[in-house]
Amino acid sequence: QVQLVESGGGLVQPGGSLRLSCATSGFNFSRYGIQWYRQAPGKERAFVAAVSSISITTYADSVKGRFTISRDNTRKTVYLQMNSLKFEDTAVYYCTVRTSANYWGQGTQVTVSS
């Protein structure tokens, strides 16, 4: 059974940092790419970052230079390091993997507020 569990969200001031984690189980982690998406209030879910099975990374333009995605195949976990956070980064952040189907975690809330 594929499972993804996000953690690490919280309340942070503008300019601050957070590191999100996506712990996975139920599939051969090292063979799959993992993506982060986010959904802000009243908006559609949007792509944030991705890491391939061989650790090639891609980012949305809005987070380039501020966010870093990485993976630890030993821990079957993907991380999203978020620096220089802005008000507009406020959203629920989800990780996802596509194996035989698309699987999503439950999300973790990130709130950027002064």
Side-chain angles (χ1 to χ4, degrees), residues 4-95:
L4 300 96
V5 179
E6 302 94 336
S7 62
L11 175 64
V12 63
Q13 293 186 339
S17 297
L18 283 175
R19 189 176 82 153
L20 306 184
S21 298
C22 172
T24 75
S25 61
F27 64 101
N28 192 340
F29 178 83
S30 63
R31 294 183 59 185
Y32 291 93
I34 307 290
Q35 299 83 43
W36 284 96
Y37 280 73
R38 65 187 180 186
Q39 188 164 20
K43 295 189 176 182
E44 294 186 353
R45 197 168 294 189
F47 171 77
V48 175
V51 59
S52 75
S53 60
I54 55 172
S55 294
I56 294 172
T57 59
T58 57
Y59 298 93
D61 287 344
S62 59
V63 307
K64 278 181 184 175
R66 300 188 298 121
F67 290 12
T68 303
I69 189 171
S70 61
R71 65 188 296 151
D72 184 333
N73 287 347
T74 300
R75 291 183 167 82
K76 299 183 180 181
T77 299
V78 170
Y79 303 98
L80 186 67
Q81 177 67 44
M82 306 187 297
N83 299 328
S84 303
L85 283 161
K86 304 176 180 180
F87 293 118
E88 53 264 40
D89 294 318
T90 295
V92 179
Y93 285 71
Y94 301 89
C95 57

